[in-house]
Amino acid sequence: MKLKSAAAAMILAAVVAGTASAQRASEAPRRALRPYASVGEAESDAGGASRYIVPLTEWKRSETDEGTSFSSEFVYPAAWLNRQVLFRVGSASGGYSLEVNGRNAGRVSNGAAAAEFNITKLCESGLNSVRMVMDDPESGEPLLRADAVWKGRTEVISQPTVRIRDIDGRTTLNDSGDGVFEAAIAVKTDALNTKQARISYELADGDRVLATGYRDVTLGMRGEDTVRFVAVVPAELLWSVESPTLLTLRLRNRIEGRYLENMAVPVGLREVKFADNVLTVNGVPQSLNVRTVPNSVTVEELRQLREEGCNAVMLKTGEAAGDFYSACDSAGIYAIAAMAVDTSNGGRSIKRGGNAVNDPALTPEYLTRAAEMYHEAKSHASVIAFRAGDGAANGINAQESFLWLKSVDSSRPVIYLPAGREWNNDRFDLHLLREKN
């Protein structure tokens, strides 16, 4: 069985490269990252406004011939000159289009996933207007349907032209039981000429520094590269549900002698393996007792669930993750990330086109949603499995999604329950519990 089909390879190239299309925002999906002007600001990140982050909290709703729209405004400050401006949408109940100063910025079909638009060329000095136009819920969206109500955190972010785009990494155990963390930091440039940057890193447990150094990177026109480093993490600092230790990954981006962005990212490091239908974390076999919870669940509520014998949670299909994975990281509970796909109302037909899961025309959309889910969840310690959506039948799109997820991460199981005992549903010790009343 080939782990990467031609269709999966095609959509992977488009997603990783951030190729814009009628169905996508202009930026490739990633873990939410927050850039700051100083180390102090990055360390005290409270999730609010800063020099380079402007949350949009006041929106005006209106009904138009185009559909339900939401409008807001923000100020483009002088400090953002010669930087990139990104518009991040936390979530929406369905597809939507974005306009900036009356000009089209793009659209997405999957409102459940966070999306980012590069709006640099659409911005003007001073006051700028933005408008989100929601799709009509009766327009026949084949994968998920909901009322046209916008929700989620939305903010305008400024990053330098050469910027830290994403972080990832894998941890494996060495012979001593310590963790070997291989970090991967994606660096991107939107410049039209060659640019150089120095990425400084520090991995620490409070004041205890586990690794520090820097890497220089040279990027061609609108290019992207990955900066890597390796750190050994003592066994007692590895993340687990019993001891959910979060380390701090500090990143600084220096261009032409000036530090233009600073980040402090909480990371939990652990080894996950899936082989012979056995899931292990840090070498220990795991049995999952899973409950479905809302994305508004708190760290305290997650800890209470763990005390009650539930050691894993997941969201309802299509519900936006938001801060859910970070809450699971902090609480010490496993999470199963799910694609925003539910074709349960499409019938059980396995004929070509009989259900959306068997419609080849929807394969690119399935794989786009797989990538959106994966990149948002991949670097969170709590996420130890992926779910290829839900439905009433098995089919080519669920299979292609399974293959794509396996091609980018074979260490974690991929679940698609309608597949039963077929090959595109990893089976291990998994128990689905009723929702808590």
Side-chain angles (χ1 to χ4, degrees):
M1 180 178 65
K2 295 178 70 175
L3 285 184
K4 190 188 295 183
S5 69
M10 175 186 68
I11 197 68
L12 172 62
V15 169
V16 171
T19 301
S21 73
Q23 299 298 317
R24 284 204 46 75
S26 61
E27 293 298 299
R30 64 171 178 173
R31 173 175 175 157
L33 294 177
R34 300 176 64 80
Y36 289 93
S38 68
V39 174
E41 279 188 318
E43 292 287 346
S44 60
D45 177 14
S50 72
R51 185 179 183 185
Y52 295 145
I53 302 172
V54 177
L56 299 186
T57 57
E58 297 184 5
W59 291 84
K60 180 180 178 181
R61 174 173 175 159
S62 61
E63 302 294 335
T64 69
D65 293 339
E66 302 169 279
T68 304
S69 71
F70 296 85
S71 302
S72 189
E73 296 175 327
F74 70 94
V75 174
Y76 182 100
W80 292 6
L81 189 64
N82 297 322
R83 295 171 64 91
Q84 298 296 298
V85 183
L86 305 177
F87 187 88
R88 180 177 176 84
V89 180
S91 66
S93 60
Y96 59 89
S97 300
L98 177 69
E99 296 176 359
V100 178
N101 295 322
R103 292 183 288 174
N104 177 53
R107 71 166 255 107
V108 295
S109 57
N110 175 22
E116 289 183 344
F117 302 78
N118 191 320
I119 62 172
T120 307
K121 295 182 180 180
L122 303 179
C123 292
E124 302 170 354
S125 177
L127 193 65
N128 291 258
S129 65
V130 295
R131 187 167 79 112
M132 296 174 61
V133 182
M134 305 296 299
D135 290 353
D136 184 343
E138 299 303 321
S139 62
E141 207 280 60
L143 302 184
L144 283 173
R145 297 183 66 178
D147 294 332
V149 178
W150 169 75
K151 56 185 177 181
R153 183 166 57 196
T154 301
E155 52 196 9
V156 185
I157 302 171
S158 169
Q159 287 191 262
T161 297
V162 181
R163 53 195 167 95
I164 297 172
R165 193 190 66 78
D166 202 3
I167 66 167
D168 196 8
R170 301 290 168 87
T171 303
T172 56
L173 300 184
N174 62 19
D175 292 340
S176 301
D178 296 329
V180 179
F181 175 51
E182 299 179 58
I185 303 158
V187 184
K188 179 181 179 180
T189 178
D190 289 284
L192 298 179
N193 55 341
T194 300
K195 290 288 185 179
Q196 295 180 327
R198 173 167 291 183
I199 306 299
S200 299
Y201 63 86
E202 183 179 275
L203 182 67
D205 175 35
D207 295 330
R208 180 183 178 185
V209 176
L210 304 175
T212 186
Y214 65 85
R215 297 287 186 271
D216 291 329
V217 60
T218 300
L219 301 170
M221 180 180 68
R222 291 179 176 167
E224 180 169 323
D225 203 348
T226 302
V227 169
R228 303 179 187 276
F229 71 88
V230 177
V232 177
V233 181
E236 66 270 17
L237 295 181
L238 293 176
W239 187 96
S240 66
V241 292
E242 297 80 15
S243 179
T245 302
L246 292 178
L247 307 176
T248 301
L249 176 59
R250 302 183 179 100
L251 300 173
R252 305 191 76 192
N253 180 9
R254 192 177 80 174
I255 304 168
E256 297 177 349
R258 297 176 55 208
Y259 286 104
L260 298 185
E261 66 179 339
N262 300 269
M263 298 179 181
V265 184
V267 292
L269 306 179
R270 80 289 177 267
E271 180 193 72
V272 176
K273 282 188 176 180
F274 180 68
D276 300 324
N277 295 333
V278 177
L279 174 67
T280 62
V281 178
N282 297 330
V284 180
Q286 300 294 312
S287 174
L288 299 190
N289 295 313
V290 187
R291 177 165 280 134
T292 302
V293 297
N295 62 1
S296 59
V297 68
T298 65
V299 172
E300 291 72 23
E301 290 170 335
L302 289 170
R303 287 172 176 160
Q304 181 59 40
L305 286 175
R306 199 183 64 191
E307 292 297 320
E308 296 171 2
C310 166
N311 68 346
V313 290
M314 62 184 179
L315 299 175
K316 292 181 179 179
T317 305
E319 190 167 39
D323 296 326
F324 173 67
Y325 301 132
S326 293
C328 293
D329 292 345
S330 297
I333 196 167
Y334 296 131
I336 298 175
M339 289 171 51
V341 171
D342 187 351
T343 62
S344 298
N345 294 329
R348 295 182 176 274
S349 173
I350 59 174
K351 294 181 179 179
R352 181 186 178 96
N355 182 298
V357 76
N358 274 308
D359 185 351
L362 291 173
T363 300
E365 180 64 23
Y366 262 80
L367 294 173
T368 294
R369 296 190 182 203
E372 289 167 339
M373 176 269 294
Y374 171 75
H375 287 292
E376 187 172 18
K378 64 188 176 187
S379 61
H380 287 275
S382 57
V383 178
I384 59 169
F386 302 111
R387 188 174 180 181
D390 204 356
N394 193 19
I396 185 175
N397 293 331
Q399 293 164 351
E400 291 285 4
S401 301
F402 179 95
L403 291 173
W404 186 86
L405 289 166
K406 286 294 188 180
S407 76
V408 293
D409 188 347
S410 61
S411 68
R412 289 180 268 200
V414 178
I415 305 163
Y416 183 66
L417 297 178
R421 299 189 66 81
E422 295 186 49
W423 60 266
N424 62 312
N425 179 38
D426 283 332
R427 295 179 297 280
F428 57 101
D429 198 355
L430 173 71
H431 309 278
L432 301 180
L433 307 176
R434 289 186 177 183
E435 294 182 40
K436 185 181 178 183
N437 295 324

